[in-house]
Amino acid sequence: MRKVIGIGETVLDIIFKDNKPVEAVPGGSTFNAITSLGRCGINASFISEAGNDHVGKYIIDFLKSNGVNADNVTTFPDSKSPVSLAFLNEKNDAEYIFYKDHPHDQLDFTFPDIQPDDIVLFGSFYAVNPVIRPQVVGLLDYARSHGAIIYYDVNFRPAHKDEVIKVTPNLIENLDYADIVRGSHEDFATLYKKEDADKVYNAEISFYCKQFIYTQGSQPVEVRSGRDLKKTYPVLDTNVVSTIGAGDNFNAGFIFGMLKYGITRTDLERGLTEEQWDKLITCALAFSADCCKDIFNYVSKEFGEKMKEGAL
């Protein structure tokens, strides 16, 4: 059975509506995607650190209760769990304030078992953070040498816009490691001051990675794959409660689709067919839409059971 290995931050998301806290849920970009995959019966594991506190224990227990291997989530003495405040606007999109001490990030793990065509997911500021860069690169080298597929979610928030120049070498290196790159219009506006899928792909991505997904909230998804494939996919009409996990669950659905339809690294190197892209984006949009129907950051447990039964 193929595996999915995620590496990223853990955080407690405190969600506000009309400036009042309405929910507090474990989060983190890769964390959300891995949790959803665990709920869908995928063999998933997560590499991270958690605070040596009540929140950290809650986060680790939460992963395990959703079927995720948390053996490589480390707690360090005196560490505190990061917190994110997410303020939902009238469209239920979120504006974030992060409380995290990035200069004191730590990461200590043993390499998990990685086999050919397993999938490694990474992204966000975690993926370019200079403090833990050696460990992240170590995992990417290990994954590549073992024939894994590497999926990179850029997910670069405006909160880090002042650090773009400092982390650009790490960002470029990540693009070069990746077999698939996904990013949002907001990511590329922050990084490159570009808001057009073709301009971003041709100028910033295609030299390093041919398979590119450009998401833009409620607007259509753009896919670019080499010179041969360029396609637009409308998003599903959804009664949106929260968009906090929308992109993370798009990633989860796409990865679920790669496993469901047997997409290998060889397929990616050859270039996916339009039919393969159609199937994968259908999965990605279904996961994203289900997540947006509730205040939580992941697909519902009911949705997960349907995926186990072969729905989609």
Side-chain angles (χ1 to χ4, degrees), residues 13 17 23 41 47 55 93 102 106 109 136 144 166 197-198 209 226 231 244 274 276 299:
D13 283 335
K17 184 70 175 175
E23 188 59 81
I47 299 170
V55 171
D93 294 326
H102 285 293
Q106 300 178 75
F109 62 94
V136 171
R144 178 184 272 180
K166 182 173 74 174
D198 285 320
C209 180
K231 192 160 183 180
I244 291 174
E274 184 174 351
Q276 287 172 321
V299 297

Side-chain angles (χ1 to χ4, degrees), residues 102-161:
H102 285 293
H104 293 100
D105 283 340
Q106 300 178 75
L107 191 57
D108 183 20
F109 62 94
T110 55
F111 288 136
D113 176 51
I114 296 180
Q115 297 296 324
D117 296 322
D118 286 349
I119 300 170
V120 171
L121 169 64
F122 77 122
S124 302
F125 186 76
Y126 199 91
V128 293
N129 183 353
V131 179
I132 54 173
R133 186 65 186 169
Q135 293 94 321
V136 171
V137 167
L139 178 69
L140 296 176
D141 280 331
Y142 181 79
R144 178 184 272 180
S145 68
H146 284 71
I149 294 168
I150 298 176
Y151 185 111
Y152 178 38
D153 175 17
V154 177
N155 199 21
F156 196 89
R157 300 286 183 195
H160 293 292
K161 66 180 183 297

Side-chain angles (χ1 to χ4, degrees), residues 5 11 26 39 98 106 142 154 156 163 201 207 235 246 273:
I5 299 97
V11 64
R39 287 187 170 183
F98 296 98
Q106 300 178 75
Y142 181 79
V154 177
F156 196 89
E163 299 173 81
Y201 181 63
F207 180 79
V235 302
T273 65

Side-chain angles (χ1 to χ4, degrees), residues 48-49 78 94 96 119 127 163 179 182 241:
S48 189
E49 62 166 317
D78 303 322
Y96 299 92
I119 300 170
E163 299 173 81
D179 299 295
R182 183 195 79 86
V241 173

Side-chain angles (χ1 to χ4, degrees), residues 10 49-57 60 74-76 79-82:
T10 62
E49 62 166 317
N52 186 24
D53 52 23
H54 183 93
V55 171
K57 183 178 185 305
I60 292 171
T74 308
T75 56
F76 296 95
S79 61
K80 292 181 180 178
S81 295

